[in-house]
Amino acid sequence: MSENAFARVNVEKVRNRVPLSERFWKPYRRGIVVCGVCERRCHIPEGYSGICGNYVNIGGELYDVGYGLVSAVESRPIEIKPLFHFHPNSSALTFSGWGCNFHCDWCQNYHLSMVKPLGAGDCSVRPETLVRMALRSGDHGLCASFNEPTIHLQFVMDVFREGKKRGLYATIVSNGYMSVEAAKALVEAGLDGLNIDIKGCPEAHRRMVRGVKPEVIYRNAKFFLDNGVHVEMVLLVVPGFNDDPECLRWIVKTHVDTLGEDVPLHVNRYYPAYKYGRPPTPLEKLLEAYRIAREHGIKYVYVGNVWDPKFETTYCPGCGEALIVRNGYRVVRAKLDGDKCPKCGEKIYLTGRVYL
């Protein structure tokens, strides 16, 4: 429980502090404030941080102590997010902060997400600095990724606003557990696309990720979709957590019922990391999830982290024509008539154009 518990903070030593907009928190009682950035709704006593470690109650007000504290910056293909139907073959300057509101035992980026910002140093980056880096690198957009972007929500929004001034698209890779108010704020800041990692079904969460309701994640995915944001979903199939057929069927059925058949689903292979030492997901289990998704009518299903081009290629759901062929997170061949299949005229779920 220690990593999930609120942490006491030596307030006098907190030099990097930005007031969190009152839009995202409210006073409770006896100096406690309620953080409204994510659906954990942390009730934070004075002198403590919430679960993610970024929002600290100082004098009965909530401050963002992780603003601008960047843990990683790298130009990356948009396909690696994975976003396969959003500006294919483009690149995004990808950045992250410290900490996370989830603490998954199999976290692939635990060296970033399990470190609290107050223990990571005080060297902060300005939003315009990241935008300049993206432009110098020839990137087409920006992406907040590696850990949950809403742990530094205001910083992400400021980066996106700066990027919009220079024609850069704005994306995030998220666990999707933000509050409705935070989701609205991201849309207002210019969010163009996101990939949401659906961890598992309700039963899996009750057993291993207590306090998290997967229904909230689909609620947010639908909100983004309804507000013109490009959405793709990823399911990391973790042995012993979410890989039983009933759980897979719940995820797929909820996907179709909530988001429809056009929103892509990426079925990704897990590898041992952090505290979870089970062997990698067997390929047959990934193919089982793939079959279930296709049987439920999802048009675009991919199998990731196995690096096989046939599982990364976009096929026309109408005639089966290979439209966007990928290899190693890059597009190697594409044939589209705008957003339609040139062979049968089927409309393809696509945002932007293919960069070749």
Side-chain angles (χ1 to χ4, degrees):
M1 285 297 294
S2 60
E3 69 181 8
N4 292 320
F6 297 168
R8 188 157 187 75
V9 174
N10 187 338
V11 173
E12 293 181 358
K13 292 187 177 181
V14 177
R15 287 178 286 178
N16 189 69
R17 60 172 82 170
V18 174
L20 185 65
S21 167
E22 293 183 13
R23 178 179 184 179
F24 305 119
W25 67 274
K26 62 182 179 181
Y28 184 56
R29 62 168 181 257
R30 297 178 183 174
I32 296 173
V33 300
V34 180
C35 178
V37 172
C38 90
E39 286 293 347
R40 285 194 178 276
R41 305 282 177 180
C42 292
H43 287 54
I44 308 174
E46 186 168 349
Y48 283 78
S49 67
I51 285 175
C52 74
N54 283 268
Y55 302 118
V56 175
N57 181 346
I58 301 176
E61 298 184 4
L62 207 54
Y63 286 80
D64 180 354
V65 300
Y67 185 96
L69 298 182
V70 173
S71 59
V73 183
E74 181 183 353
S75 291
R76 303 190 112 202
I78 199 68
E79 278 77 17
I80 207 171
K81 308 305 173 188
L83 285 168
F84 279 13
H85 292 245
F86 181 89
H87 296 273
N89 218 38
S90 65
S91 68
L93 187 80
T94 306
F95 63 96
S96 60
W98 300 98
C100 191
N101 60 340
F102 282 12
H103 296 98
C104 304
D105 286 349
W106 49 84
C107 181
Q108 306 293 300
N109 293 314
Y110 64 92
H111 57 295
L112 308 177
S113 60
M114 302 303 167
V115 177
K116 301 295 175 67
L118 290 177
D122 297 317
C123 184
S124 61
V125 175
R126 300 294 305 165
E128 51 269 28
T129 301
L130 289 181
V131 172
R132 284 197 298 268
M133 290 176 65
L135 294 171
R136 281 199 301 268
S137 299
D139 292 309
H140 306 90
L142 301 157
C143 183
S145 183
F146 300 129
N147 61 346
E148 171 51 39
T150 54
I151 54 91
H152 54 175
L153 175 63
Q154 290 187 156
F155 181 69
V156 170
M157 292 164 58
D158 289 344
V159 172
F160 287 173
R161 290 191 184 103
E162 287 295 321
K164 288 292 176 181
K165 297 175 185 176
R166 305 300 298 272
L168 298 174
Y169 64 63
T171 59
I172 65 173
V173 177
S174 174
N175 60 37
Y177 214 61
M178 69 283 290
S179 66
V180 171
E181 195 58 50
K184 289 179 180 177
L186 284 166
V187 172
E188 292 165 8
L191 181 67
D192 295 302
L194 81 163
N195 182 291
I196 294 180
D197 182 3
I198 180 66
K199 302 294 182 183
C201 57
E203 178 57 31
H205 282 265
R206 276 191 290 270
R207 286 187 283 108
M208 296 188 67
V209 192
R210 289 184 291 275
V212 174
K213 300 175 182 178
E215 299 89 344
V216 168
I217 297 167
Y218 284 109
R219 177 205 72 190
N220 288 337
K222 187 174 190 310
F223 170 83
F224 287 118
L225 195 65
D226 290 346
N227 282 272
V229 178
H230 181 97
V231 176
E232 300 189 30
M233 303 293 287
V234 62
L235 169 63
L236 184 71
V237 181
V238 181
F241 171 60
N242 60 10
D243 63 335
D244 63 273
E246 292 75 19
C247 192
L248 295 174
R249 288 193 185 95
W250 184 90
I251 291 168
V252 168
K253 184 178 186 304
T254 307
H255 179 114
V256 173
D257 291 347
T258 307
L259 306 177
E261 298 173 347
D262 281 332
V263 171
L265 176 64
H266 301 261
V267 177
N268 280 7
R269 189 178 214 170
Y270 141 93
Y271 287 91
Y274 192 39
K275 297 180 178 180
Y276 212 77
R278 292 205 181 194
T281 318
L283 181 59
E284 53 267 28
K285 179 58 68 173
L286 298 172
L287 295 179
E288 178 185 8
Y290 176 91
R291 284 193 298 271
I292 291 172
R294 294 292 291 138
E295 287 168 2
H296 278 75
I298 299 179
K299 295 178 181 178
Y300 311 102
V301 187
Y302 303 97
V303 179
N305 294 344
V306 297
W307 301 285
D308 188 329
K310 70 174 176 287
F311 293 128
E312 299 174 344
T313 293
T314 298
Y315 299 97
C316 174
C319 67
E321 184 78 358
L323 300 178
I324 305 175
V325 180
R326 300 176 183 85
N327 191 359
Y329 303 120
R330 303 304 298 178
V331 174
V332 295
R333 189 168 69 255
K335 51 180 177 180
L336 282 165
D337 182 9
D339 62 353
K340 292 183 174 63
C341 172
K343 185 175 180 180
C344 72
E346 175 86 9
K347 184 175 173 61
I348 307 301
Y349 181 69
L350 183 70
T351 297
R353 65 177 179 85
V354 182
Y355 288 79
L356 286 175

